[in-house]
Amino acid sequence: MGTIKALCISEKKGTLKTPIHKALFQTEWGMVGDAHAGRWHRQVSFLGLAEIEEFRKRGIDVKLGAFGENIVAEGFHFKELPIGTRLRAGEVWFEITQIGKECHKSCAIRSQVGDCIMPREGVFARVLHGGWIEEGDTLKIVQEKMPLDAAIITASDKGSKGLREDKSGAKVQEMLEKAGYTVAEKVILPDEQHDLEHKMRSFGDRGIALVVTTGGTGFSVRDVTPEATLAVCERLAPGIPEAMRALSMQVTHRAMLSRAQAGIYKRTLIVNLPGSSKAVEECLGFVLPELQHGIDILRGDASECARK
């Protein structure tokens, strides 16, 4: 366990990073606004304060962030941590992906003082769960699974205007909490594809494990939840809606008219449910026991689906 002493950012690669007091980290991206963030394995860089202070003993006054590090922490010798080690600061989770690197010929600190410790002492990580970190926050090594969190989106023109009680969203929340999920947010949105897409992506960028939508899966012109889901998801999980439709067909043949979808955005599973609380109870109750295993695989907490 240690303390974050600096959060550093640069808008352009090859330049010194400068400290900021608070930073937003995005799942599978990195520090928002930093030039090194992106969909790759070196999203965030770490460097120990002790290594920087040892370098300063040479008589070189280097500022925090000068070696291109995003996070400076006291209490860690990061290069001693094996690849795969998970770190956590508040709700933000990291996984170490690389130890050290080759120093670029254009490295700003090397060109100024003739040496750079980042290739020897620094490590790199990807962001597993996003959120805010402030200077002074605690950073610790973790071995447990990431906690189960969820978000609920109710797609309803009338509900968003307060003209209809959101019984289906309330039922989803009740069932998720009973299953051990923490509901991070519950929103009601109009049946507008852009709004639905934006909210799904924002939940995925935070790294929320499960996003459940209810409503907007039928044949009405305003039913666009499946289209929003397909636009956001990077990979589909067709077995989930297929299973729900197969179950519902035993109740009513009109279940074949459901256009519900399910898929993955970054490390988030998105599942569409019907708009009625009764259908929510039936469909979510059927698939919910199996979803956690899929989430564990998605987050790297499980590795296979074979039955014992």
Side-chain angles (χ1 to χ4, degrees):
M1 184 178 292
T3 304
I4 293 176
K5 292 298 183 179
L7 298 160
C8 308
I9 192 170
S10 60
E11 295 182 358
K12 295 182 179 180
K13 294 183 179 181
T15 61
L16 304 181
K17 295 187 186 296
T18 56
I20 56 177
H21 295 296
K22 185 177 181 180
L24 176 62
F25 290 83
Q26 196 175 92
T27 304
E28 289 300 343
W29 184 258
M31 184 184 288
V32 174
D34 185 66
H36 291 86
R39 296 298 292 270
W40 65 323
H41 69 291
R42 282 165 39 183
Q43 296 165 358
V44 179
S45 55
F46 292 81
L47 192 59
L49 180 63
E51 285 70 36
I52 297 174
E53 291 178 338
E54 186 66 26
F55 189 87
R56 287 171 172 170
K57 291 179 180 179
R58 304 183 195 181
I60 305 172
D61 183 22
V62 293
K63 306 295 184 182
L64 298 182
F67 296 105
E69 71 277 15
N70 290 122
I71 297 178
V72 178
E74 185 178 39
F76 287 92
H77 294 287
F78 286 107
K79 70 175 183 179
E80 298 176 358
L81 302 178
I83 290 175
T85 299
R86 289 187 172 187
L87 302 166
R88 181 181 184 181
E91 64 177 352
V92 184
W93 287 60
F94 305 97
E95 183 178 80
I96 294 178
T97 56
Q98 183 174 318
I99 300 171
K101 71 179 183 72
E102 291 185 11
C103 193
H104 301 297
K105 293 180 180 180
S106 59
C107 173
I109 190 66
R110 182 180 290 276
S111 65
Q112 290 182 17
V113 304
D115 191 17
C116 179
I117 62 174
M118 192 66 194
R120 301 189 299 273
E121 305 291 347
V123 304
F124 299 86
R126 60 167 38 99
V127 181
L128 301 181
H129 194 289
W132 290 93
I133 296 179
E134 294 188 40
E135 187 180 289
D137 282 353
T138 297
L139 181 70
K140 61 182 180 180
I141 298 171
V142 288
Q143 295 180 330
E144 68 269 19
K145 288 183 179 181
M146 296 171 65
L148 283 172
D149 52 359
I152 303 164
I153 301 173
T154 297
S156 170
D157 286 331
K158 290 183 178 180
S160 66
K161 297 176 182 177
L163 301 177
R164 175 182 292 170
E165 183 182 356
D166 182 23
K167 293 182 179 180
S168 58
K171 176 56 70 173
V172 173
Q173 181 170 0
E174 175 190 327
M175 296 177 70
L176 289 178
E177 290 178 343
K178 187 175 181 179
Y181 290 80
T182 297
V183 176
E185 192 171 336
K186 177 174 167 286
V187 298
I188 306 175
L189 298 177
D191 292 291
E192 295 288 349
Q193 184 172 337
H194 177 270
D195 294 348
L196 294 169
E197 286 182 27
H198 176 76
K199 204 61 182 178
M200 290 178 195
R201 286 195 179 92
S202 69
F203 288 145
D205 291 339
R206 287 166 59 180
I208 287 175
L210 177 63
V211 174
V212 177
T213 74
T214 173
T217 60
F219 276 26
S220 169
V221 174
R222 296 287 293 168
D223 288 340
V224 293
T225 304
E227 284 69 31
T229 304
L230 291 172
V232 170
C233 288
E234 299 160 334
R235 294 181 289 161
L236 296 182
I240 297 172
E242 286 169 3
M244 292 191 294
R245 278 188 281 268
L247 172 75
S248 297
M249 282 288 290
Q250 299 176 36
V251 179
T252 172
H253 289 173
R254 289 186 179 181
M256 69 178 71
L257 302 180
S258 169
R259 300 189 305 108
Q261 299 286 339
I264 295 164
Y265 172 62
K266 294 186 176 180
R267 291 180 181 263
T268 295
L269 176 61
I270 303 173
V271 177
N272 298 161
L273 295 177
S276 77
S277 58
K278 182 178 182 295
V280 162
E281 188 169 12
E282 292 170 353
C283 293
L284 184 58
F286 186 55
V287 302
L288 189 55
E290 312 305 327
L291 297 186
Q292 184 175 343
H293 186 61
I295 290 168
D296 286 344
I297 295 172
L298 187 57
R299 288 177 151 190
D301 289 326
S303 59
E304 50 82 25
C305 291
R307 292 176 295 175
K308 294 182 181 180

